[in-house]
Amino acid sequence: MAEEAVLGYLEKNEEISDSGKFAEEKGISHDEIVNVIKSLNGFRLVDAQDIKRERWMLTQEGDMYAKDGSPEVQLFLAVPPEGITREKLQEKVEPSIYKIGCTQAIKNKWIEMGKLEVSRKVLLSENFAIELKSDLLYFPVECFTEDVQHVDDRVRDLLIQIQNGYSVKKGPEYISKRKKVATDLTRENLQRDDWKEIEFKEYNFLAKGQPTECGCLHPLLKAFGNGKVMQPTTHLLTVASHLTYLPFHGILRKFEEMPTNNFVESSFWNFDALFQPQQHPARDSHDTFFLKEPSTTRSLPEDYVERVKRVHESGGYGSRGYGYEWKREEANKNLLRTHTTAVSSRMLYALAQFSMYGMSREECSCDLGPFAPKRYYSIDRVFRNEAVDRTHLAEFHHIEGLICDCGLTLGHLIGVLHDFFSRLGMSKLKFKPAFNPYTEPSMEIFSYHEGLQKWVEIGNSGMFRPEMLLPMGLPEDVQVIAWGVSLERPTMILYGIDNIRDLFGHKVDLSLIKRNPICRLGL
Ligand code: PHE
């Protein structure tokens, strides 16, 4: 209808000089007319020019003052010649009128405010010449910038600028009525066989398509890196493996991946096998998620359990043990593994069994009997009953590495850690003596964060204790150096993410995940 009005008008007239006035005359909203003009202008059916002249109108408040008088006039008129109490005056006028009106009328010296009484200071007739009401009454409904320039500041505050309009002439492609072209070929067109007559809209090959939504790799997946996929829990890596260059699996390619596909673990492998005493605070339900169903493990290697019990209770292998009564029920309790070191303990136990019975002396690299050095690693989910904040989640990932050989020292561990972290772009490292029940010596690993300009703790490490390795059946001269790092911490550093919840979990910031480049080069 608006389109017909514009095109129809131009058929008989030279020009629409002002779209605003035109809209008013036709009783169509100006917005609608403007939309039509823009669209017709786009197809060159009309030639539209902006009208640059600003136009002004009274605001709603201005409208009100024009009708009833300014607040001070309303207030003045409410004060009878004989005066009135403040209280009564307040009842007579609106609260907002009272407030502004009093201030303004006192300033104009029209009224006097006593403690209780309000009285007029001037005669009624003197005021009409100066009052705002008359200014506004003679103010045109709409006026142009030139008129506004001469207006008193207060009046000006009661005006708003109204939207620019267009002047419109016929364009080069002008037609008085646009033909409606079809955009779809419908089933009805085919049934009625009228499609041959229909004029279809031309394809616009230059139109931009809808932005495509596509999958993207999660930064953690990228940090997992390019590697052999050994087990079901890391099958997602197949997607990432040919694309990613950030590289835990890559860095660890000379290491064998340990099978981490059991989130549920027994306390035995998670703690006891690691020489972690049963009273240790980490074994508390405040720190660990215990399972209700099934609450206990089905089987454990009995002879090994016996050796573990003995080393906890009374030591052996040169140790005094802890000297407490070790309880099988405690070891049987199922939990969500709190670290991937549970996997390492299973793996080392399996290695010890294999070493003792499965390998010939010729196949081994050292003289200590049937034993082959090993390099193992794992990257997978761990769980801790932790309060969630910017840097802690109850569910996150560990990267763990261990090397098992004879003659290893703390020097080897430090060297390996330097090598591992420098490949991630973290070459400034510091080590701090620490304590773990399963390692001695133990070291916390710190890296200098250039962005934060401070040392940040990135991992934990150490040499597994004889109290852990010897009951497993590993030869006495075999040492194991090991380290554990959360996957999230270095990923946050590398991707500049300062809230772990943006990276992983149900509050993940999807736009951040999408924004990140598909792969990181240069590391
Ligand atoms: N298990 C340790 C942790 O949870 C990491 C670690 C692994 C420490 C191996 C020493 C040796 O942080």
Side-chain angles (χ1 to χ4, degrees):
M1 170 170 133
E3 178 169 322
E4 280 150 26
V6 172
L7 291 176
Y9 186 87
L10 288 177
E11 199 178 2
K12 299 188 196 84
N13 302 280
E14 180 76 1
E15 178 186 51
I16 295 171
S17 60
D18 180 342
S19 58
K21 278 201 194 112
F22 181 76
E24 215 170 293
E25 279 162 26
K26 297 284 174 196
I28 303 172
S29 85
H30 191 216
D31 283 349
E32 202 179 324
I33 291 286
V34 165
N35 281 341
V36 162
I37 291 174
K38 281 185 185 160
S39 148
L40 293 173
N41 194 47
F43 289 104
R44 308 193 346 138
L45 268 78
V46 301
D47 182 11
Q49 299 292 330
D50 278 344
I51 314 177
K52 288 276 179 275
R53 293 170 79 199
E54 292 171 347
R55 296 179 307 150
W56 297 80
M57 275 177 77
L58 287 175
T59 58
Q60 223 180 7
E61 195 186 359
D63 237 5
M64 217 163 66
Y65 294 175
K67 262 208 264 102
D68 304 330
S70 63
E72 60 270 31
V73 168
Q74 288 188 47
L75 189 104
F76 182 82
L77 295 175
V79 178
E82 67 281 5
I84 188 171
T85 61
R86 277 185 184 224
E87 218 175 293
K88 283 229 175 78
L89 181 60
Q90 234 162 331
E91 279 167 23
K92 275 177 88 174
V93 293
E94 295 276 320
S96 63
I97 298 290
Y98 181 82
K99 219 171 137 218
I100 313 171
C102 280
T103 323
Q104 212 58 37
I106 294 168
K107 207 167 116 199
N108 291 355
K109 302 199 170 63
W110 294 354
I111 59 164
E112 209 165 36
M113 279 261 191
K115 259 198 195 131
L116 299 167
E117 285 277 308
V118 185
S119 54
R120 291 184 174 186
K121 278 182 79 179
V122 286
L123 293 174
L124 192 60
S125 56
E126 283 178 50
N127 293 294
F128 276 126
I130 49 164
E131 66 153 300
L132 186 61
K133 179 176 176 177
S134 55
D135 263 358
L136 290 177
L137 275 180
Y138 295 116
F139 199 78
V141 181
E142 269 183 27
C143 65
F144 296 100
T145 316
E146 302 89 79
D147 307 320
V148 175
Q149 276 165 8
H150 308 294
V151 157
D152 179 90
D153 276 355
R154 266 194 86 204
V155 176
R156 201 166 166 158
D157 286 346
L158 299 171
L159 297 172
I160 43 162
Q161 195 175 13
I162 60 165
Q163 160 198 13
N164 277 349
Y166 292 98
S167 73
V168 189
K169 284 189 180 143
K170 283 185 185 132
E173 310 278 327
Y174 175 81
I175 33 170
S176 59
K177 202 162 183 197
R178 265 209 285 192
K179 247 189 281 167
K180 278 255 181 299
V181 286
T183 48
D184 292 310
L185 175 64
T186 63
R187 192 161 149 246
E188 287 73 26
N189 293 149
L190 293 171
Q191 278 169 345
R192 287 195 303 257
D193 206 29
D194 60 4
W195 56 273
K196 289 170 203 149
E197 282 81 54
I198 296 172
E199 192 179 330
F200 287 99
K201 190 177 177 188
E202 298 217 1
Y203 283 110
N204 176 6
F205 292 109
L206 299 176
K208 282 190 181 144
Q210 292 286 329
T212 43
E213 281 287 331
C214 59
C216 47
L217 296 175
H218 190 279
L220 284 182
L221 205 54
K222 292 186 241 181
F224 265 38
N226 189 354
K228 262 192 317 187
V229 180
M230 252 188 54
Q231 44 181 309
T233 46
T234 47
H235 70 272
L236 276 176
L237 290 175
T238 40
V239 184
S241 59
H242 63 287
L243 283 167
T244 55
Y245 291 83
L246 200 165
F248 288 111
H249 281 284
I251 290 173
L252 293 162
R253 71 182 169 277
K254 288 184 187 149
F255 287 61
E256 279 172 54
E257 190 175 5
M258 295 185 268
T260 49
N261 52 347
N262 60 313
F263 292 171
V264 174
E265 187 52 279
S266 63
S267 295
F268 180 77
W269 291 110
N270 195 84
F271 293 127
D272 296 281
L274 292 165
F275 197 51
Q276 188 135 334
Q278 295 189 326
Q279 308 76 23
H280 193 281
R283 301 182 66 153
D284 201 282
S285 62
H286 294 297
D287 288 299
T288 300
F289 293 114
F290 286 96
L291 255 74
K292 279 203 185 119
E293 193 64 52
S295 62
T296 53
T297 187
R298 267 194 238 118
S299 67
L300 294 170
E302 294 304 330
D303 55 335
Y304 175 48
V305 170
E306 199 46 48
R307 293 196 294 276
V308 168
K309 172 185 159 82
R310 225 179 308 129
V311 79
H312 277 243
E313 288 186 340
S314 54
Y317 321 100
S319 168
R320 284 195 292 162
Y322 292 118
Y324 72 95
E325 197 192 322
W326 186 88
K327 292 205 179 69
R328 175 65 184 261
E329 309 83 74
E330 206 52 52
N332 282 346
K333 285 183 186 166
N334 276 336
L335 44 75
L336 292 178
R337 69 169 173 237
T338 62
H339 51 183
T340 43
T341 318
V343 178
S344 304
S345 67
R346 276 180 182 272
M347 206 62 193
L348 287 168
Y349 172 73
L351 177 69
Q353 309 318 297
F354 184 62
S355 307
M356 285 199 293
Y357 309 113
M359 202 174 268
S360 69
R361 195 167 279 272
E362 293 77 59
E363 284 175 290
C364 297
S365 72
C366 63
D367 313 326
L368 293 166
F371 169 76
K374 285 285 179 193
R375 282 182 278 218
Y376 288 130
Y377 82 102
S378 64
I379 306 178
D380 213 337
R381 194 78 59 94
V382 297
F383 308 84
R384 292 192 187 169
N385 194 356
E386 229 163 339
V388 171
D389 62 24
R390 293 183 82 76
T391 50
H392 293 92
L393 289 176
E395 199 173 328
F396 57 103
H397 298 84
H398 264 174
I399 311 163
E400 185 147 326
L402 61 91
I403 301 176
C404 184
D405 204 346
C406 36
L408 290 175
T409 66
L410 196 66
H412 290 109
L413 177 60
I414 292 173
V416 168
L417 291 175
H418 270 295
D419 194 26
F420 178 81
F421 285 104
S422 67
R423 287 171 199 234
L424 289 173
M426 299 180 210
S427 44
K428 271 196 205 167
L429 295 185
K430 259 193 199 175
F431 304 101
K432 188 175 142 191
F435 174 79
N436 296 313
Y438 40 93
T439 51
E440 182 59 37
S442 313
M443 301 188 303
E444 276 167 6
I445 311 158
F446 289 78
S447 162
Y448 190 74
H449 190 278
E450 298 292 346
L452 297 175
Q453 301 256 313
K454 65 174 186 187
W455 292 92
V456 185
E457 195 197 329
I458 49 171
N460 193 348
S461 65
M463 301 186 68
F464 284 139
R465 294 184 78 105
E467 289 97 324
M468 168 182 163
L469 300 180
L470 296 178
M472 289 176 170
L474 283 165
E476 250 179 57
D477 274 23
V478 168
Q479 283 83 34
V480 179
I481 55 176
W483 67 98
V485 186
S486 95
L487 175 62
E488 283 77 4
R489 189 58 77 86
T491 308
M492 283 168 75
I493 295 175
L494 291 165
Y495 283 86
I497 297 167
D498 65 356
N499 188 343
I500 195 165
R501 289 166 290 195
D502 291 342
L503 180 66
F504 185 62
H506 66 292
K507 287 191 172 166
V508 131
D509 177 353
L510 282 178
S511 65
L512 179 143
I513 308 291
K514 288 186 178 175
R515 264 197 327 271
N516 270 310
I518 194 138
C519 58
R520 289 180 59 96
L521 297 170
L523 273 166

